[in-house]
Amino acid sequence: MPRIVTPMDYWANAMQMGWVMAEAQGVIAMRVMGALGFWSVPKTENSRMLNEKVFAFLKGSTDASLAAMTGKSPDVVAALAIKPIRQATRANHKRLTKRGLKRA
């Protein structure tokens, strides 16, 4: 018997996207402050920033495509597309927050 999709399934995806947007704004702010010399960021931050996006979007789109092709419900497809992006923004926010302001 197929799983019954409820509005809460879609709400959960919306909440995850909300977290992605909030954490991404924080990460962008810390990276900009790092470029200006106010926040402590590693020298590899610029290349890391590009590489992680490619991986997260490729993983999300692949997982979501496979789920759609196997007949999964739209909420599951969306959740699989969001998951790697959410993991990347969560990890970045946590890592950069710990580094803190640059000491003079």
Side-chain angles (χ1 to χ4, degrees):
M1 185 166 163
R3 181 174 77 79
I4 297 173
V5 180
T6 68
M8 291 307 291
D9 296 319
Y10 294 104
W11 179 255
N13 287 334
M15 292 301 293
Q16 290 300 311
M17 280 307 299
W19 278 109
V20 167
M21 292 186 298
E23 288 169 340
Q25 288 300 310
V27 169
I28 291 166
M30 288 181 271
R31 284 177 171 161
V32 168
M33 287 190 295
L36 295 172
F38 299 123
W39 201 262
S40 175
V41 294
K43 293 184 187 299
T44 58
E45 193 64 29
N46 289 337
S47 61
R48 180 181 190 143
M49 175 174 35
L50 296 173
N51 292 333
E52 71 191 6
K53 283 179 180 53
V54 171
F55 174 77
F57 282 105
L58 185 61
K59 174 96 171 100
S61 62
T62 302
D63 291 349
S65 296
L66 289 172
M69 288 188 284
T70 57
K72 301 288 186 215
S73 63
D75 66 304
V76 171
V77 173
L80 289 170
I82 295 166
K83 186 176 180 179
I85 299 166
R86 170 79 167 104
Q87 290 171 335
T89 56
R90 181 188 308 135
N92 284 334
H93 192 270
K94 190 175 189 179
R95 178 178 53 82
L96 290 171
T97 301
K98 286 181 181 179
R99 295 189 66 89
L101 288 170
K102 198 170 196 177
R103 306 284 179 195

